[in-house]
Amino acid sequence: MLYLEIQSPSQPASRFELPSGSYTIGRSDACKIRLRHAGVSERHALLSVRDTGVWIEDLHASNGTFLDDERIEGRVPMRPNQCLSIGPFLLLLQDTPANTGSAPAPAKPAAEVTPPPPPPALAGAYHGTGHLHARTAPPRDPQLAIRREIKNQIHREVVQRLDIKRMTAARVDAAELQQRARETIHLVIEEVRQRERLPPGIDPARLAEEICNEALRLGPIEEFLADESVTEVMVNGPRQIFIERNGRLELTGQDFMDESSVQAIIERIVAPIGRRIDESQPYVDARLPDGSRVNAIIPPLSLSGPCITIRKFSKHAFTESDFVRFGTWTQDMADFLRICVLMRKNIVVSGGTGSGKTSLLNVLSSYLPPQDRILTIEDAAELRLNQPHVIRLEARPPNIEGRGAITIRDLVRNALRMRPDRILVGECRGGEALDMLQAMNTGHDGSLTTVHANSPRDVVSRLETMVLMSGMDLPSRAIREQIASAIDLIVHEARLSDGSRRVSAISEIVGSEGTQLVMQDIFVFQQTGLDENGRVLGHFRATGAVPTFLENLKSRGLALDPTMFQPERAAGGGGRT
């Protein structure tokens, strides 16, 4: 029978019998020999006891594993009376029983050992002076720490065998790079499995997919980006990932290996579009290839570690009929807004954060005639237009020296020299509002933009504030007159308590009286309550107000059913659809 004595600088020695089996050594709760110290990795080493001998294997521990003061690499044999050093602990392998005159058992052992389950005949055969740890209540996910450590070790091995950065710099085809990486990952996992280092319950195929995502794609969030039911992904440091599904937040069981893994994912997102993130620029706005919006922020600004927020866009662009099916608006409202776009009315889409402004702007832009020359201006390109004559402009952040920034306002000014028929600004949030209003008032009608606001009336105040941000000291009355003559319609979208989105109001700016703007609501959403599941109940209705430009439809060769503006006409929208 073999024995293992564990010595610690601050605790009395512990001594255990070692039946045949495999013993993982580390500070994780899932390890059979637990050494609780910061200098010990979660899965530090693997001790294998067989009839043919004893082997010790270093599991790519950060501080290394030393046998008789020599650092070991891989799997090496271990003989009795040899000393194993792991962090501050000394592990001595012996083939003689404990001395009966030895000191009494310590009250607090230097290590906690969970031996492998013995055969029934050996039950109760563990009588060493050390403490045998029996877990009465398993942790919520007993394999989480061990799985994380295994992924970390295999990932490091793959990086050593396959220099991904060098292959990327050498412009190796993306498909070939992924193929080589997958082959190497499967090879390493198969070697781990053959050496009996892969704990039971871990699926090798799923493990390979997770490591491939970490190495080449977006890690554990990759599966949520592929899930069409997920609308938002929020990474709060390496150990916490939330998603939004059906308007509700859910905590997932996924996590990253460490903070450097999250940082690598952020750099993988921002590098292709010419953005950067570092200590001098610790936050960034970016986009994924499908147009999904990304915001990332890193320490020292984030005390929770690197954080990523991804607002997903549907793989298939929403259409007018999709919004009718979702209950976002009614067919009458869609028909009315389509006519407004064709009549070259200037429209502002407003709403709070996450209310669906950009998706609504995408649907409205689908009404633009194919013969128009359309310019889109955005911080991060998100709009998806199918017209043949579209020019997309994207703002540029400053370089590492703080120079070279191109703002939305710069692009709006430049767009006026590009002979646009329509100008679409992804979002007005600063001084560009003044240039946008001037463009609308100087022949560039039919423009579309979005504004953060809580109500149609609040849009006016927000625009007034943004005009003042341009540095122009204009009186409030002059600004409001500009707004009244430039903007025709405000379409306000709201995100309700159950997570659903509704076009809560379509309002027309009729004009101004003194310092006040005159507005009238044409369509509104009226909430009536909540059902037993917390879903919003309500209906859309016409207010009875008729648009002032209705009489101009015939001169434009357009037609619209005037009865849609009658209050008694059912506008649809009972419960949530």
Side-chain angles (χ1 to χ4, degrees):
M1 176 63 68
L2 292 175
Y3 301 86
L4 184 67
E5 183 175 297
I6 303 178
Q7 301 175 3
S8 170
S10 59
Q11 297 290 338
S14 301
R15 186 181 173 89
F16 308 92
E17 293 181 1
L18 277 183
S20 295
S22 296
Y23 299 81
T24 48
I25 305 173
R27 72 169 187 268
S28 168
D29 287 343
C31 292
K32 295 176 180 177
I33 301 178
R34 293 212 298 269
L35 307 177
R36 299 187 182 278
H37 192 273
V40 180
S41 298
E42 289 188 346
R43 288 184 82 249
H44 199 106
L46 177 67
L47 181 66
S48 301
V49 180
R50 300 286 184 265
D51 294 339
T52 55
V54 179
W55 287 268
I56 184 67
E57 183 173 3
D58 179 73
L59 300 179
H60 300 284
S62 56
N63 292 335
T65 304
F66 298 85
L67 185 61
D68 289 343
D69 295 329
E70 291 187 8
R71 183 164 184 165
I72 64 173
E73 298 290 342
R75 190 168 185 252
V76 299
M78 183 177 179
R79 297 184 301 275
N81 300 321
Q82 282 192 302
C83 186
L84 189 67
S85 299
I86 295 180
F89 296 92
L90 297 179
L91 287 75
L92 183 64
L93 184 66
Q94 298 176 343
D95 57 359
T96 57
N99 188 347
T100 56
S102 60
K108 186 176 180 181
E112 297 177 352
V113 177
T114 303
L122 295 180
Y126 304 99
H127 301 295
T129 58
H131 170 67
L132 296 183
H133 178 75
R135 221 179 299 164
T136 57
R140 184 178 60 178
D141 188 353
Q143 289 192 328
L144 184 61
I146 193 169
R147 187 185 192 88
R148 185 185 304 129
E149 187 68 20
I150 288 175
K151 285 170 58 178
N152 203 351
Q153 293 162 7
I154 295 178
H155 186 270
R156 286 199 297 265
E157 180 67 23
V158 171
V159 170
Q160 290 178 2
R161 298 190 188 187
L162 185 69
D163 194 341
I164 296 177
K165 289 186 177 180
R166 179 184 59 78
M167 294 176 66
T168 304
R171 299 185 183 277
V172 175
D173 180 73
E176 181 183 354
L177 177 62
Q178 289 203 16
Q179 181 62 27
R180 291 189 190 180
R182 285 183 178 275
E183 291 175 355
T184 305
I185 290 169
H186 283 288
L187 179 62
V188 173
I189 291 178
E190 181 60 23
E191 292 177 0
V192 171
R193 191 184 64 80
Q194 290 181 355
R195 294 178 183 177
E196 299 182 2
R197 285 172 44 192
L198 194 65
I202 294 182
D203 181 12
R206 180 172 175 79
L207 183 63
E209 186 66 22
E210 290 177 0
I211 296 174
C212 187
N213 287 338
E214 293 263 5
L216 299 174
R217 297 199 287 268
L218 301 183
I221 65 176
E222 188 74 32
E223 64 176 281
F224 305 123
L225 296 178
D227 187 347
E228 294 191 8
S229 66
V230 175
T231 55
E232 199 143 2
V233 180
M234 291 145 280
V235 179
N236 305 336
R239 298 290 177 255
Q240 197 178 65
I241 300 177
F242 280 88
I243 61 172
E244 182 191 67
R245 181 183 278 120
N246 299 324
R248 305 287 185 178
L249 292 182
E250 301 176 12
L251 176 62
T252 70
Q254 299 291 337
D255 62 0
F256 287 84
M257 290 187 292
D258 48 36
E259 289 193 2
S260 62
S261 297
V262 186
Q263 184 88 13
I265 295 301
I266 296 174
E267 293 174 355
R268 198 170 297 155
I269 292 172
V270 303
I273 59 173
R275 306 288 171 101
R276 65 183 179 85
I277 187 166
D278 49 41
E279 289 186 359
S280 63
Q281 181 66 40
Y283 58 89
V284 66
D285 288 318
R287 55 179 166 81
L288 297 179
D290 64 354
S292 296
R293 186 182 308 170
V294 181
N295 175 269
I297 186 168
I298 62 174
L301 299 188
S302 171
L303 303 182
S304 302
C307 296
I308 309 173
T309 306
I310 301 177
R311 184 168 300 160
K312 286 179 54 184
F313 279 6
S314 173
K315 294 182 179 180
H316 308 287
F318 290 131
T319 64
E320 166 190 302
S321 58
D322 290 330
F323 274 21
V324 174
R325 189 175 73 254
F326 298 155
T328 303
W329 62 17
T330 64
Q331 190 60 54
D332 282 350
M333 298 165 70
D335 293 340
F336 172 67
L337 290 175
R338 178 175 54 83
I339 291 295
C340 292
V341 172
L342 293 176
M343 291 186 68
R344 303 183 68 87
K345 297 299 178 183
N346 294 321
I347 301 175
V348 173
V349 177
S350 64
T353 300
S355 60
K357 298 185 298 297
T358 304
S359 297
L360 180 56
L361 185 62
N362 260 321
V363 174
L364 294 180
S365 66
S366 67
Y367 299 146
L368 296 173
Q371 64 270 19
D372 282 0
R373 176 177 169 88
I374 306 168
L375 269 71
T376 68
I377 302 170
E378 303 172 83
D379 259 337
E382 299 169 347
L383 297 175
R384 292 180 284 186
L385 279 71
N386 296 320
Q387 288 83 350
H389 199 167
V390 177
I391 299 174
R392 307 175 71 195
L393 306 180
E394 186 176 49
R396 185 178 72 185
N399 60 20
I400 195 170
E401 298 175 350
R403 302 175 181 174
I406 304 297
T407 65
I408 293 287
R409 189 176 187 187
D410 297 328
L411 295 179
V412 171
R413 289 173 174 175
N414 187 77
L416 301 180
R417 306 182 182 98
M418 299 176 66
R419 197 245 172 238
D421 289 315
R422 310 275 189 150
I423 299 176
L424 274 66
V425 178
E427 182 180 345
C428 279
R429 60 174 67 132
E432 64 271 7
L434 175 61
D435 300 280
M436 190 70 187
L437 292 176
Q438 289 179 332
M440 291 175 174
N441 278 322
T442 55
H444 297 89
D445 49 354
S447 298
L448 305 171
T449 188
T450 70
V451 171
H452 273 85
N454 296 323
S455 67
R457 179 66 62 178
D458 188 40
V459 172
V460 178
S461 300
R462 288 276 298 150
L463 286 173
E464 187 175 350
T465 302
M466 288 188 285
V467 169
L468 294 175
M469 291 170 64
S470 67
M472 301 293 291
D473 188 14
L474 298 173
S476 176
R477 179 167 182 167
I479 297 174
R480 296 200 172 192
E481 287 177 352
Q482 285 278 322
I483 295 173
S485 60
I487 298 175
D488 298 300
L489 285 175
I490 296 175
V491 182
H492 186 75
E493 189 170 13
R495 180 179 177 182
L496 305 183
S497 59
D498 62 351
S500 62
R501 278 85 169 174
R502 297 283 192 277
V503 175
S504 61
I506 298 178
S507 305
E508 180 188 16
I509 297 181
V510 180
S512 61
E513 293 181 358
T515 60
Q516 297 298 318
L517 264 66
V518 179
M519 301 174 61
Q520 63 175 3
D521 292 336
I522 298 174
F523 294 98
V524 296
F525 176 76
Q526 184 171 355
Q527 182 174 338
T528 58
L530 300 173
D531 67 9
E532 63 277 5
N533 296 318
R535 296 183 299 181
V536 170
L537 300 176
H539 60 272
F540 296 96
R541 66 178 181 86
T543 63
V546 178
T548 57
F549 53 83
L550 190 62
E551 59 187 22
N552 299 329
L553 288 177
K554 288 184 179 179
S555 63
R556 299 289 185 93
L558 301 171
L560 195 64
D561 182 5
T563 62
M564 70 169 58
F565 305 112
Q566 298 175 2
E568 61 271 13
R569 173 165 169 167
R576 182 184 178 191
T577 56

